[in-house]
Amino acid sequence: MDLLPIFLVLLSAFSSIQAVTPLNSKLFREYIGAEFKGVRFSDVPINSKVEVHFILSFAIDYTSSSSPSPTNGRFRAYWDEDNLSPSHVSATKALHSNVKVCVSLGGDTIRGQPVFFKPRSINSWVSNAISSITKIAREYDLDGIDIDYEHFDADTNTFAECIGRLLSHLKEQKIVSIASIAPYDNDSVQPYYLALWRKYGHLIDYVNFQFYAYDKGTTISQFLDHFETQSSNYRGGKVLVSFGTDGSGGLSPENGFFEACSKLRHEKKLHGIFIWSADDSKKAGFPYEKQSQNFLASTK
């Protein structure tokens, strides 16, 4: 009896099982620059045993006037460029081979007004976005893009098509290699990201879910339930856990965030941690950035 075919079948089956086995990640991500508090990449602790992504916050398709208005996909930098410039990016990358830098699109507000996703048409928005984001990505030597629109003046399909086509082009042309989205659990927000996920989820590497948008006083068990719910919503995706250092809600480090992470790691579901934001952490000296990265670097 020839055992070789049987062996090859078993080997193939084993390889398939290995391919879908969930793995924990040593990924740490942090939003930076949105609040103009003078924070620099060099201020933030960087553990060499962890992959670190800084996410510049934000590029916005609005005018820079005192009363900003939408520009239909023509993005410009609205982060603290004096302290987070292209030269700062290149110096940080040269010093730390484990660091990547991304840009987040949208955000919550500009000059106190909501930032709306407001395209004139799918084709015109995509064309403008490709041009303006490509320029920013090349100037700053960016590795990735994050989508963080939180207000919408368009339907879910238009959002999915605009963002999906933008991500598709940026990845196909190797302008960026990383794509993430930053939804949260709100009926006026989540449907847009779920529509995008259903059609273009294969282009999205990480889901930076804003768990800090849940109520203050969230317990460990509630947090884990939220994680399971959102992992189901973004099935097959790498849903990252998160907390804010701005006094926002969710499960804080003081109330058991890292205990929850330990449970997820034990179940091989910990895809990474992200924090909002470095600007808010600067005053205290970044204790939770250190703790998060040390936790991810540990082998427990």
Side-chain angles (χ1 to χ4, degrees):
M1 181 180 178
D2 188 355
L3 297 178
L4 182 59
I6 297 173
F7 171 76
L8 291 175
V9 169
L10 291 173
L11 180 62
S12 175
F14 176 75
S15 299
S16 298
I17 291 169
Q18 289 292 95
V20 298
T21 300
L23 296 172
N24 293 316
S25 169
K26 295 185 177 183
L27 173 63
F28 174 78
R29 314 188 89 201
E30 181 153 40
Y31 290 86
I32 187 169
E35 296 170 16
F36 291 82
K37 293 184 178 178
V39 66
R40 296 187 176 190
F41 300 122
S42 56
D43 295 331
V44 184
I46 296 172
N47 188 317
S48 62
K49 296 179 181 178
V50 174
E51 182 174 347
V52 175
H53 295 181
F54 289 111
I55 306 175
L56 294 166
S57 310
F58 293 92
I60 308 176
D61 57 333
Y62 267 62
T63 60
S64 58
S65 62
S66 57
S67 181
S69 59
T71 57
N72 191 43
R74 294 183 178 90
F75 287 89
R76 45 187 297 141
Y78 275 96
W79 60 82
D80 185 355
E81 290 185 280
D82 289 343
N83 293 292
L84 301 166
S85 67
S87 62
H88 289 113
V89 171
S90 59
T92 302
K93 285 185 169 187
L95 199 59
H96 302 281
S97 61
N98 60 317
V99 166
K100 290 182 168 60
V101 180
C102 308
V103 63
S104 187
L105 307 188
D108 184 19
T109 61
I110 179 170
R111 298 189 189 278
Q113 302 175 26
V115 172
F116 279 92
F117 174 75
K118 190 174 182 178
R120 290 176 193 159
S121 70
I122 292 174
N123 289 341
S124 64
W125 190 95
V126 171
S127 177
N128 291 337
I130 286 172
S131 176
S132 57
I133 293 300
T134 298
K135 182 179 178 182
I136 293 170
R138 287 177 173 158
E139 181 183 1
Y140 279 82
D141 187 24
L142 297 178
D143 302 285
I145 186 171
D146 176 66
I147 308 300
D148 188 25
Y149 278 104
E150 302 185 6
H151 309 280
F152 305 89
D153 191 357
D155 60 37
T156 57
N157 181 67
T158 299
F159 177 73
E161 284 303 317
C162 285
I163 300 301
R165 293 182 196 182
L166 172 63
L167 297 184
S168 181
H169 177 89
L170 295 177
K171 282 199 154 186
E172 284 175 4
Q173 298 303 312
K174 302 189 185 309
I175 294 160
V176 300
S177 58
I178 302 164
S180 60
I181 57 175
Y184 60 98
D185 193 357
N186 181 290
D187 289 343
S188 66
V189 174
Q190 185 99 297
Y192 288 87
Y193 287 94
L194 291 175
L196 172 63
W197 181 261
R198 281 191 293 271
K199 192 159 187 181
Y200 292 99
H202 61 284
L203 297 172
I204 298 167
D205 301 286
Y206 306 108
V207 179
N208 287 6
F209 200 85
Q210 298 184 42
F211 287 100
Y212 44 85
Y214 285 108
D215 292 340
K216 274 190 175 184
T218 296
T219 65
I220 293 172
S221 62
Q222 288 171 333
F223 180 89
L224 293 171
D225 285 344
H226 294 325
F227 178 84
E228 291 301 328
T229 297
Q230 301 310 329
S231 295
S232 177
N233 282 335
Y234 299 94
R235 190 173 301 280
K238 294 179 179 177
V239 177
L240 274 59
V241 293
S242 61
F243 61 91
T245 54
D246 59 348
S248 53
L251 179 62
S252 67
E254 299 94 334
N255 291 336
F257 176 82
F258 290 103
E259 186 178 336
C261 287
S262 293
K263 291 179 183 294
L264 292 175
R265 179 157 64 183
H266 179 72
E267 297 171 2
K268 300 193 183 302
K269 295 177 180 177
L270 185 63
H271 303 298
I273 296 170
F274 81 89
I275 295 177
W276 174 273
S277 67
D279 302 55
D280 295 300
S281 300
K282 183 182 178 184
K283 186 177 180 181
F286 307 98
Y288 295 125
E289 284 75 1
K290 294 173 189 172
Q291 188 175 359
S292 295
Q293 292 179 56
N294 289 341
F295 176 88
L296 289 166
S298 69
T299 56
K300 292 179 182 178

